[in-house]
Amino acid sequence: MTVLSDPSPAVAEPEDARGRVAELHGIRAQAQAGPSEKATAAQHAKGKLTARERIGLLLDEGSFQEVEQLRRHRATGFGLEEKKPYTDGVVTGWGTVEGRTVFVYAHDFRIFGGALGEAHAEKIHKIMDLALTAGAPLVSLNDGAGARIQEGVSALAGYGGIFRRNTRASGVIPQISVMLGPCAGGAAYSPALTDFVFMVRGTSQMFITGPDVVKTVTGEEISHDGLGGADVHAATSGVAHFAYDDEETCLAEVRYLLSMLPQNNQEAPPVARGGDPADRRSEKLVDLVPAEGSRPYDMAAVLEEIVDDGEYLDIHERWARNVLCVLARLDGEVVGIVANQPQNLAGVLDIDASEKAARFVRTCDAFNIPLVTLLDVPGFLPGVDQEHGGIIRHGAKLLYAYCDATVPRISVVLRKAYGGAYIVMDSQSIGADLTYAWPTNEIAVMGAEGAANVVFRRRIAEAEDPGAMRARMVEEYKSELMHPYYAAERGLVDEVIDPSGTREVLIRSLAMLRAKHADLPTRKHGNPPQ
């Protein structure tokens, strides 16, 4: 038998290994420091943090594990071959937020202006794939100048890969976009595909075509902030869910949002039991909502009395303010609450409110967050602009979202619930699991005055005193068809409850529904109204 010699390679001398380790630490220190102190100072001078400073604020201290720190681009031409910085302008990896895994990528504006090239895109693709594989949230910290022009179509293809992954991860893992600088052109579509968008005033902007292009094409002059700043997208376009004055506050709120979301669509949101008793009553609720349907009040005050410790996260707070969409806790369990806001447009549903609520309902349903709906809605907003703008189509989005939702659904009628808006706002007839009402409820096809004018039109017209007859008919209609127990008598409301006990009723009901299971028909996917 032939004996072969030992094929093991020679072991390097200790000093050689230590030299290589020292070299590694030097390279990593260079990559972490960034291109130069001057570039860092320029970033700070704009009121902006660096990519690593932002990651440090987002994640638990010491938890960040970087991926592909030493990646460099391979492009040539236009001087690129002479400039190959480590990270290629994006920092990627994972860490924890309150002990739970979160994946993150952050553009480094100091390197190529954060512009996306082929290697840059491949790093993002990898971390997105890892997030989906691990079933954990993905947070993007955006501060980039769009596609890297020197790399041509390769950079554009990189965006395509991001968009495809955004779509594949939609409804599977939470995706949060944090806008901390410019985001123009096709790059803006990635945030638009994610679940939540945060912006910082004064430093972040989003638009498809910038002010210079707008001026060339339309002749309109407008600033970057005026075209696509945080306040524009938070209050006018609805593109941004949140807007803050500084990056520190913004990233703290991202952490807060993550604390209320599950890791993925197979898990329930995290529970955080506090000291607020489940059976706490609130006598204030009896007086907060006026019995007179024409008197406004602040629905936010109602929410504060019901939810744990009066705390909630208002989604799209400044857009479509006639409806509130909030994340809160009831006995430590996360719930999504949709509520009309009588202080704004009397709480009617219009195009924007329908869009806002529909998106929120679908987001909650995707991530196993039970839905509570508080109704005080006089109907859909009438008007030529609304009809021509497609209120039918947009209102149908909210209807579809509720009908398609399989999470526990509870509705509470506080006061007015008229017409189609009542049906759309998760009525029992479209699948609400439980429907409650306060004694101040008015569930009807329309308000008593309008109904009386239609039903008793002839009698009013023929009366000697039409005004007195109209008032009499209004009262008759109210007593016959709009008394607080009319819907309950017909099984359309499960119980008329004391407002002061609303919190306890909701908590008990949600506990009962926690194991709800819904069988859906076999289909590739639905086709919601667009």
Side-chain angles (χ1 to χ4, degrees):
M1 183 175 66
T2 304
V3 179
L4 299 177
S5 60
D6 184 2
S8 301
V11 178
E13 294 295 325
E15 58 267 28
D16 292 339
R18 290 183 182 277
R20 291 294 177 90
V21 170
E23 179 185 38
L24 170 64
H25 286 310
I27 292 173
R28 291 181 62 180
Q30 179 184 343
Q32 291 173 6
S36 68
E37 292 184 3
K38 181 179 179 182
T40 301
Q43 181 81 347
H44 289 161
K46 297 173 184 175
K48 296 161 64 175
L49 301 175
T50 65
R52 295 183 187 278
E53 289 170 339
R54 290 163 174 166
I55 291 173
L57 288 173
L58 173 68
L59 301 178
D60 296 338
E61 185 176 357
S63 70
F64 182 54
Q65 177 65 53
E66 190 167 352
V67 175
E68 294 194 335
Q69 183 186 75
L70 306 185
R71 187 70 180 265
R72 289 170 152 179
H73 71 76
R74 297 172 293 180
T76 58
F78 305 101
L80 286 178
E81 64 275 7
E82 299 174 3
K83 189 177 182 182
K84 294 188 175 184
Y86 292 115
T87 75
D88 200 47
V90 63
V91 181
T92 60
W94 76 88
T96 60
V97 172
E98 297 187 4
R100 299 192 303 153
T101 300
V102 172
F103 288 81
V104 60
Y105 68 86
H107 297 128
D108 191 340
F109 194 82
R110 300 171 302 167
I111 298 175
F112 299 125
L116 182 137
E118 183 179 18
H120 182 121
E122 288 175 353
K123 287 183 65 175
I124 295 175
H125 296 168
K126 182 180 181 74
I127 213 65
M128 295 179 79
D129 290 340
L130 282 173
L132 193 58
T133 299
L138 173 70
V139 178
S140 63
L141 305 180
N142 297 270
D143 185 8
R148 197 174 298 171
I149 298 173
Q150 300 94 320
E151 294 195 29
V153 73
S154 296
L156 291 178
Y159 275 122
I162 293 173
F163 302 157
R164 179 165 56 88
R165 288 168 172 83
N166 283 138
T167 303
R168 189 171 61 184
S170 180
V172 181
I173 58 172
Q175 299 181 83
I176 299 173
S177 297
V178 188
M179 315 311 297
L180 302 168
C183 185
Y189 283 114
S190 177
L193 289 169
T194 60
D195 301 303
F196 299 97
V197 177
F198 289 72
M199 294 188 74
V200 175
R201 295 184 181 92
T203 58
S204 63
Q205 301 92 29
M206 295 173 66
F207 36 69
I208 299 300
T209 54
D212 292 340
V213 175
V214 170
K215 183 178 179 180
T216 300
V217 175
T218 70
E220 300 171 280
E221 292 193 21
I222 192 167
S223 67
H224 285 79
D225 270 345
L227 182 62
D231 288 324
V232 169
H233 287 310
T236 304
S237 72
V239 170
H241 298 78
F242 308 96
Y244 298 99
D245 291 330
D246 57 79
E247 294 189 16
E248 292 82 357
T249 303
C250 180
L251 292 169
E253 290 300 298
V254 174
R255 286 177 59 91
Y256 180 47
L257 172 60
L258 285 167
S259 75
M260 305 187 81
L261 298 175
Q263 291 293 90
N264 54 65
N265 65 343
Q266 299 300 308
E267 298 183 7
V271 179
R273 306 286 184 204
D276 199 345
D279 60 354
R280 171 177 59 79
R281 297 177 65 83
S282 175
E283 297 298 334
K284 288 184 180 179
L285 288 173
V286 179
D287 301 315
L288 275 176
V289 179
E292 299 85 355
S294 59
R295 288 180 57 190
Y297 63 93
D298 187 1
M299 183 64 80
V302 174
L303 294 179
E304 290 172 7
E305 290 298 314
I306 294 174
V307 303
D308 289 1
D309 303 311
E311 295 181 358
Y312 58 84
L313 183 61
D314 198 343
I315 313 296
H316 269 141
E317 180 180 6
R318 298 177 58 206
W319 182 58
R321 298 174 69 178
N322 38 321
V323 67
L324 297 173
C325 297
V326 310
L327 290 174
R329 281 191 164 87
L330 286 171
D331 195 29
E333 303 276 353
V334 177
V335 295
I337 303 177
V338 180
N340 305 106
Q341 175 55 292
Q343 273 195 339
N344 290 279
L345 293 176
V348 299
L349 290 178
D350 60 2
I351 288 173
D352 287 347
S354 299
E355 289 264 13
K356 172 180 173 178
R359 173 70 171 181
F360 181 72
V361 167
R362 293 185 70 81
T363 300
C364 288
D365 187 52
F367 295 115
N368 308 312
I369 300 173
L371 287 161
V372 173
T373 305
L374 304 181
L375 286 87
D376 190 349
V377 59
F380 284 95
L381 182 65
V384 174
D385 289 344
Q386 289 290 307
E387 296 295 345
H388 288 185
I391 185 63
I392 296 172
R393 176 167 51 88
H394 293 283
K397 293 180 184 179
L398 179 55
L399 177 60
Y400 188 101
Y402 270 125
C403 290
D404 202 40
T406 60
V407 293
R409 291 157 49 191
I410 301 173
S411 61
V412 183
V413 181
L414 276 59
R415 198 171 60 172
K416 299 185 299 296
Y418 294 163
Y422 153 63
I423 300 297
V424 166
M425 290 285 290
D426 207 18
S427 62
Q428 190 177 98
S429 61
I430 67 168
D433 296 299
L434 291 167
T435 303
Y436 298 108
W438 287 6
T440 46
N441 81 82
E442 294 180 0
I443 304 174
V445 176
M446 63 176 67
E449 288 76 9
N453 286 337
V454 173
V455 176
F456 306 112
R457 178 176 54 191
R458 180 172 297 179
R459 292 178 63 179
I460 292 172
E462 294 174 350
E464 293 183 4
D465 186 346
M469 178 60 73
R470 180 180 293 105
R472 177 182 162 191
M473 293 298 100
V474 166
E475 289 304 313
E476 182 177 326
Y477 186 85
K478 281 185 177 181
S479 64
E480 290 291 328
L481 298 177
M482 291 182 63
H483 62 80
Y485 309 103
Y486 183 85
E489 290 171 358
R490 284 151 183 79
L492 298 175
V493 166
D494 293 299
E495 194 69 53
V496 178
I497 63 173
D498 180 348
S500 62
T502 302
R503 171 180 166 82
E504 183 178 12
V505 168
L506 288 175
I507 289 173
R508 286 175 176 270
S509 301
L510 289 168
M512 179 274 293
L513 289 167
R514 196 160 295 142
K516 175 184 176 182
H517 174 75
D519 292 320
L520 297 176
T522 301
R523 60 181 176 182
K524 187 175 182 180
H525 56 72
N527 190 21
Q530 296 297 322

